[in-house]
Amino acid sequence: MSMANKLKIKKGDLVQVIAGARQSRGGDRGKQGKVLAVYPERNRVLVEGVNRVIKHKKATQTQAGGTAGGRETHEAPIHVSNVALVDPKDNKPTRVGYREESVERDGRTKTVRVRISRRTGEEI
């Protein structure tokens, strides 16, 4: 069993799709969305409103007596290399870096790693 990779994108981050077909050609490049789930073992992220696929559901009987089935659209995971974190300062995609800061709490100093935007140097 291999160790899962450490991803720089977390659940709840705003990301932008930076690869694939342009929106004018029916693709998702340039779209922004919130990360709904992260799958580090597969290097993939689930982004809201991006990479939507149609799943066909077989019609089955429900308890109320009706039938439930047909076509449902869901988001599918996208590779983490195809998305970039959006810089909160200027709403453009940026790379992620880390900076170590010392924080003092209850009289003791603690070193904390903080995610920063490579574009502006701002804390994310």
Side-chain angles (χ1 to χ4, degrees):
M1 191 163 145
S2 66
M3 206 167 123
N5 299 331
K6 174 112 170 66
L7 302 181
K8 295 180 177 183
I9 292 174
K10 308 273 179 247
K11 182 178 174 180
D13 283 346
L14 184 67
V15 295
Q16 181 172 329
V17 180
I18 57 171
R22 288 188 199 95
Q23 290 182 48
S24 60
R25 291 178 169 252
D28 287 331
R29 191 197 311 170
K31 282 188 184 176
Q32 290 186 358
K34 202 174 210 163
V35 175
L36 302 173
V38 179
Y39 306 108
E41 64 283 346
R42 297 189 349 233
N43 284 329
R44 291 183 176 269
V45 290
L46 193 67
V47 183
E48 190 175 31
V50 169
N51 198 21
R52 294 182 66 79
V53 293
I54 295 173
K55 295 260 187 175
H56 291 78
K57 288 277 189 183
K58 188 174 181 181
T60 56
Q61 212 75 35
T62 60
Q63 285 187 333
T67 56
R71 294 161 42 133
E72 295 178 354
T73 55
H74 297 284
E75 287 98 356
I78 186 171
H79 199 272
V80 74
S81 67
N82 295 330
V83 296
L85 193 73
V86 172
D87 193 330
K89 196 172 184 183
D90 57 4
N91 260 14
K92 289 184 177 173
T94 181
R95 297 195 314 269
V96 180
Y98 289 95
R99 179 171 56 218
E100 291 191 355
E101 293 179 357
S102 54
V103 179
E104 196 169 321
R105 234 184 250 136
D106 302 332
R108 54 177 83 190
T109 309
K110 193 175 179 184
T111 306
V112 181
R113 289 180 80 206
V114 178
R115 286 196 307 165
I116 60 164
S117 160
R118 287 281 189 208
R119 170 186 274 273
T120 58
E122 292 286 311
E123 198 173 303
I124 298 169

